[in-house]
């Protein structure tokens, strides 16, 4: 089910939603809202499986890997991400789904996909702060925090980071 909620909202990804019990209302031809691939940006990718890679490429979803962050810097990456999302409609509201496993497990070990080489503590905060400063953030969520997947200190560090990111998404800033 990884990625399925988002996948279900992509019009061209699942041709017949009526075969999924309880989701008949998403059936093709309905008036249900669907997401266009150009409405998405992934930031901080570093460990994706073959099927995910295929669909990201097939759909043309804008992505910034950790290589891009290392090469361009988190500030430039976030500017490019927001430019992509807001270019057609500068006043559109944005939703941020912040997957805590984008952060390096040194800072957020209590997650289901803890892969080294992720965002630093500061980069993680910058992402949240920069989206807020855009003025376009309408809603946000922090996902993949699972305190049962780390020892006491690791669980506390991950939950604390999640709490700090929520505060940043609500507008808390240095000044």
């Amino acid at each position: 089910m990884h990625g399925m909620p988002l996948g279900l909202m992509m019009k061209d990804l699942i041709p017949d939603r009526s075969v999924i019990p309880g989701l008949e209302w998403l059936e093709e031809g309905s008036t249900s809202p669907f997401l266009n691939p150009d409405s998405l940006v992934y930031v901080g990718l570093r460990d994706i499986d073959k099927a995910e890679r295929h669909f990201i490429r097939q759909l043309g979803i804008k992505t910034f890997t950790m290589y891009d962050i290392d090469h361009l810097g988190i500030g430039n990456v976030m500017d490019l991400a927001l430019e992509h999302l807001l270019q057609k409609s500068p006043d559109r509201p944005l939703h941020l789904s912040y997957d805590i496993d984008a952060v390096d497990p040194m800072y957020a070990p209590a997650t289901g996909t803890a892969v080294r080489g992720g965002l630093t503590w500061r980069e993680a905060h910058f992402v949240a702060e920069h989206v807020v400063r855009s003025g376009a953030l309408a809603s946000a969520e922090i996902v993949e925090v699972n305190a049962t997947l780390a020892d006491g200190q690791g669980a506390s560090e991950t939950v604390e980071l999640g709490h700090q990111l929520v505060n940043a998404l609500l507008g808390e800033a240095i000044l």
Side-chain angles (χ1 to χ4, degrees), residues 4-11 17 25-26 33-36:
M4 288 303 294
L6 181 60
L8 288 170
M9 296 309 297
M10 303 296 292
K11 184 175 185 178
R17 289 165 183 79
W25 63 275
L26 284 173
F34 290 103
L35 290 174
N36 291 319

Side-chain angles (χ1 to χ4, degrees), residues 73-127:
I74 193 66
N76 287 327
V77 164
M78 290 307 298
D79 285 343
L80 291 168
L82 289 170
E83 179 182 305
H84 174 79
L85 292 170
L86 299 172
Q87 66 186 344
K88 292 181 184 173
S89 180
D91 296 326
R92 72 174 276 205
L94 297 179
H95 172 76
L96 175 65
S97 183
Y98 203 125
D99 195 330
I100 200 78
D101 67 21
V103 181
D104 192 278
M106 176 187 301
Y107 309 103
T111 186
T113 311
V115 178
R116 289 174 46 183
L119 298 173
T120 66
W121 188 89
R122 187 61 214 125
E123 289 168 335
H125 281 79
F126 185 89
V127 168

Side-chain angles (χ1 to χ4, degrees), residues 5-20:
L6 181 60
L8 288 170
M9 296 309 297
M10 303 296 292
K11 184 175 185 178
D12 298 324
L13 195 57
I14 300 172
D16 185 7
R17 289 165 183 79
S18 66
V19 299
I20 304 170

Side-chain angles (χ1 to χ4, degrees), residues 98-166:
Y98 203 125
D99 195 330
I100 200 78
D101 67 21
V103 181
D104 192 278
M106 176 187 301
Y107 309 103
T111 186
T113 311
V115 178
R116 289 174 46 183
L119 298 173
T120 66
W121 188 89
R122 187 61 214 125
E123 289 168 335
H125 281 79
F126 185 89
V127 168
E129 294 165 1
H130 202 63
V131 174
V132 168
R133 287 184 182 208
S134 76
L137 184 66
S139 60
E141 62 183 337
I142 305 285
V143 299
E144 298 292 334
V145 174
N146 187 339
T148 66
L149 297 177
D151 64 16
Q153 181 177 345
S156 294
E157 290 171 357
T158 306
V159 170
E160 177 60 24
L161 176 59
H163 180 249
Q164 291 170 1
L165 294 174
V166 167

